[in-house]
């Protein structure tokens, strides 16, 4: 056997950033370990990397590394994959962290490695991405997907052979609707282009690789979402549950009180006469009273919801309590450990952690600090 067939691929996940767009959730929990469909976001990615044969994942972090590492210790054992942390002295952007982790990623056999933005969800076709990368002999291969508003993303223009002609990050004018899904397969030679300083892979590295004719794209099948903000996180959950329905329907909740797709942790207690769904996730140790109505929402671990309350199109943070006949809807985001009194109505309110809410909030987008 040659060396190249014995070395397992490595992966680097870009974890950095403060996750400001997911506040108030990220005020108490770092974004990558916030649950998405009842598992930490980053765990979905690490599982897919493990399934593709990776033996080590480097988390590129510039914020609260200890919280992340304590948490991931548990998963390192559960998933059977080495998880290491590369901490940046200052934010290094989306390329700088690759230079910092060069010792792990580089290898003389030329075995490619994966790089992922930590806030993207999809079915993670890592094996196919590696195969496509090896087939074309590219230096970098980007997963691409189509979106209706490409201006928030990196736009990729390619030819019939999927060779990338242009890569334009956050274009001001329309360039195309195929966008960078934030998941790459890279050959070690790309590391020679990157220095250990704040660098953008999108603005500096990809355009250079494209100019050399060595940047390729692979079309992503199925759903895709950047779940870095509450609205998209809820949309992403709905898409993800739809995909679970196709691939492993046994993971979804069943019963007369369930309408559409919902995932409920087995430790959660659900009262009588509830109506749950569509697109709902209920986390560990939650207690849901009688006659509660939940739709298009995420109920994070240890939340208590009293009888006849309603939550729609919203996210409820860990250990919060919602009173009976309360109503939380219209993209409300409730931080950790918030108390909402009986009968209160929250219309699109953003509530910071540890607050007591005793009166209704009618104006959408009101921030309670
Ligand atoms: N370690 C580290 N250090 N990670 C970082 C840093 C940093 O300085 N800056 C950003 N990241 C991480 C973020 O946590 C995220 O996982 C990823 O890099 C991308 O950063 P975002 O801030 O989420 O970028 P974006 O969503 O505006 O755009 C990126 O993702 C789009 C897909 O969602 C770009 O890659 C676009 O081209 C792409 O279309
Ligand atoms: Mg993002």
């Amino acid at each position: 056997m040659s060396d190249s067939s014995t070395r397992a691929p490595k992966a680097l996940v870009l974890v950095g950033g403060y996750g400001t767009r997911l506040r108030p959730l990220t005020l108490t929990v770092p974004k990558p370990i916030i649950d998405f469909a009842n598992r930490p976001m980053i765990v979905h990615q690490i599982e897919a990397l493990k399934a593709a044969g990776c033996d080590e994942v480097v988390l590129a972090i510039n914020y609260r590394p200890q919280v992340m590492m304590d948490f991931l210790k548990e998963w390192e054992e559960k998933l059977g994959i080495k998880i290491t942390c590369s901490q940046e002295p200052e934010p290094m952007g989306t390329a700088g962290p690759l230079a910092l982790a060069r010792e792990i990623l580089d290898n003389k056999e030329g075995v490619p490695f994966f790089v992922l933005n930590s806030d993207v969800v999809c079915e993670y076709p890592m094996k196919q991405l590696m195969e496509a990368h090896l087939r074309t002999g590219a230096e970098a291969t980007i997963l691409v997907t189509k979106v209706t508003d490409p201006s928030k993303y990196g736009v990729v223009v390619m030819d019939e052979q999927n060779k990338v002609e242009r890569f334009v990050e956050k274009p001001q004018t329309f360039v195309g609707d195929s966008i960078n899904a934030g998941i790459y397969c890279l050959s070690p030679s790309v590391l020679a282009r990157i220095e250990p300083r704040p660098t953008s892979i999108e603005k500096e590295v990809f355009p250079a690789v494209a100019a050399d004719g060595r940047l390729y794209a692979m079309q992503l099948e199925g759903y895709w979402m950047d779940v870095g903000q509450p609205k998209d996180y809820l949309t992403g959950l709905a898409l993800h549950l739809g995909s679970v329905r196709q691939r492993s329907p046994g993971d979804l909740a069943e019963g007369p009180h369930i309408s559409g797709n919902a995932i409920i942790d087995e430790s959660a207690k659900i009262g009588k006469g509830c109506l749950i769904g569509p697109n709902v996730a209920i986390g560990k140790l939650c207690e849901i009273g009688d006659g509660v109505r939940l739709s298009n929402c995420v109920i994070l671990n240890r939340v208590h919801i009293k009888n006849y309350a309603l939550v729609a199109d919203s996210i409820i943070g860990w250990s919060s309590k919602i009173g009976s006949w309360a109503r939380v809807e219209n993209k409300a985001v409730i931080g950790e450990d918030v108390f909402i009194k009986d009968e209160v109505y929250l219309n699109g309110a953003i509530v910071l952690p540890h607050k007591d809410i005793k009166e209704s909030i009618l104006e959408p987008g009101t921030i309670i600090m």
Side-chain angles (χ1 to χ4, degrees):
M1 233 190 269
S2 75
D3 273 358
S4 61
S5 60
T6 53
R7 191 187 199 268
K10 314 278 177 189
L12 180 137
V13 182
L14 291 161
V15 169
Y18 298 103
T20 42
R21 289 173 294 184
L22 260 192
R23 276 182 194 160
L25 302 173
T26 44
L27 289 175
T28 53
V29 176
K31 176 165 81 169
I33 63 178
I34 292 178
D35 275 355
F36 176 76
N38 291 351
R39 313 191 109 201
M41 277 189 208
I42 202 169
V43 166
H44 295 268
Q45 298 187 323
I46 298 174
E47 278 180 332
L49 291 166
K50 163 84 184 172
C54 288
D55 65 350
E56 179 171 4
V57 180
V58 181
L59 307 181
I61 295 177
N62 60 45
Y63 175 63
R64 293 166 74 186
Q66 202 49 50
V67 189
M68 287 289 302
M69 287 320 289
D70 290 348
F71 186 88
L72 289 163
K73 273 257 152 57
E74 175 195 341
W75 289 96
E76 195 170 37
E77 268 170 41
K78 271 195 209 166
L79 303 175
I81 183 167
K82 188 168 172 200
I83 305 174
T84 47
C85 204
S86 167
Q87 199 193 348
E88 293 145 53
E90 57 169 326
M92 291 285 220
T94 46
L98 276 66
L100 281 191
R102 169 168 289 150
E103 273 187 23
I104 297 170
L105 305 175
D106 206 0
N107 63 93
K108 50 184 182 315
E109 300 90 340
V111 177
F113 56 89
F114 297 108
V115 173
L116 293 89
N117 289 352
S118 66
D119 57 1
V120 296
V121 297
C122 64
E123 287 170 11
Y124 307 113
M126 308 314 289
K127 267 199 180 131
Q128 294 93 310
L129 176 60
M130 174 74 79
E131 282 161 14
H133 180 77
L134 294 172
R135 207 163 40 235
T136 56
E139 186 164 288
T141 307
I142 306 175
L143 267 183
V144 297
T145 186
K146 286 207 158 105
V147 293
T148 44
D149 177 13
S151 67
K152 299 194 281 181
Y153 306 103
V155 172
V156 180
V157 181
M158 59 236 154
D159 68 13
E160 271 113 69
Q161 275 73 49
N162 286 328
K163 188 156 127 186
V164 176
E165 291 165 344
R166 285 178 76 196
F167 186 105
V168 190
E169 184 63 15
K170 316 251 161 60
Q172 304 281 311
T173 55
F174 186 84
V175 182
D177 62 355
S178 278
I179 63 123
N180 167 21
I183 299 179
Y184 325 120
C185 187
L186 307 177
S187 286
S189 59
V190 84
L191 294 167
R193 301 178 187 264
I194 307 170
E195 283 170 38
R197 57 169 174 84
T199 311
S200 159
I201 201 167
E202 298 87 352
K203 290 185 187 148
E204 297 170 63
V205 182
F206 288 153
V209 182
D212 290 350
R214 303 215 44 213
L215 186 64
Y216 280 75
M218 182 187 125
Q219 191 64 47
L220 175 68
E221 303 284 326
Y223 77 97
W224 177 86
M225 201 73 206
D226 176 329
V227 295
Q229 40 192 315
K231 189 171 136 294
D232 295 341
Y233 171 90
L234 288 171
T235 307
L237 177 73
L239 295 170
H240 174 80
L241 293 180
S243 150
V244 174
R245 170 69 68 197
Q246 301 296 314
R247 292 178 294 129
S248 49
D251 292 349
L252 297 178
E254 288 298 342
H257 59 299
I258 304 292
S259 139
N261 298 332
I263 185 164
I264 303 181
D265 188 89
E266 55 186 23
S267 64
K269 290 197 187 108
I270 313 290
K272 295 189 218 70
C274 291
L275 186 54
I276 295 170
N279 308 321
V280 171
I282 302 178
K284 287 189 187 69
L285 303 170
C286 288
E287 289 183 20
I288 312 294
D290 295 339
V292 168
R293 176 75 179 100
L294 305 176
S295 61
N296 300 300
C297 64
V298 174
I299 312 296
L300 291 163
N301 298 336
R302 304 177 302 277
V303 166
H304 290 193
I305 303 184
K306 288 169 58 184
N307 297 350
Y308 307 105
L310 175 147
V311 180
D313 310 302
S314 297
I315 305 172
I316 311 296
W318 312 268
S319 307
S320 289
K321 295 193 167 52
I322 299 184
S324 50
W325 294 105
R327 199 180 164 96
V328 180
E329 60 184 30
N330 192 17
K331 310 279 184 288
V333 186
I334 310 300
E336 179 164 13
D337 179 40
V338 167
F339 173 84
I340 297 167
K341 203 175 164 226
D342 292 350
E343 292 170 40
V344 157
Y345 172 42
L346 298 187
N347 180 18
I350 308 297
V351 183
L352 271 64
H354 317 297
K355 297 288 160 199
D356 266 14
I357 306 294
K358 297 188 177 118
E359 270 158 46
S360 294
I361 299 166
L362 305 182
E363 185 61 35
T366 304
I367 301 175
I368 305 297
M369 345 202 244

